[in-house]
Amino acid sequence: MPLLVRFMLHHLIAGFAVGALAAISLLRHSGFPQSWIGVWLYVFSLGAPFALGSLATALAMDAEEED
């Protein structure tokens, strides 16, 4: 697997995991929705931005190190 693809997958998966854990933590304290589709949508609605934020931060920090 190319180095760039591995770099991107690593940061996307790590960021999504953090976002999913945050969503599950928020759901546990505020009460679960009635349907599992609601839980799934909530987890993905927080997981996706965390994943992209993690990737963007990693790319920005990697660019600063090369300067």
Side-chain angles (χ1 to χ4, degrees):
M1 183 180 313
L3 186 61
L4 178 61
V5 173
R6 191 175 335 143
F7 177 83
M8 290 179 65
L9 284 176
H10 174 265
H11 288 287
L12 285 172
I13 291 170
F16 187 86
V18 170
L21 288 174
I24 291 170
S25 174
L26 288 171
L27 283 173
R28 289 190 68 196
H29 293 293
S30 65
F32 277 90
Q34 294 294 329
S35 66
W36 285 103
I37 191 77
V39 172
W40 185 80
L41 286 172
Y42 195 73
V43 167
F44 272 85
S45 71
L46 278 180
F50 271 76
L52 292 177
S54 173
L55 178 61
T57 303
L59 287 172
M61 290 179 65
D62 190 43
E64 286 179 4
E65 290 176 3
E66 292 178 3
D67 288 340

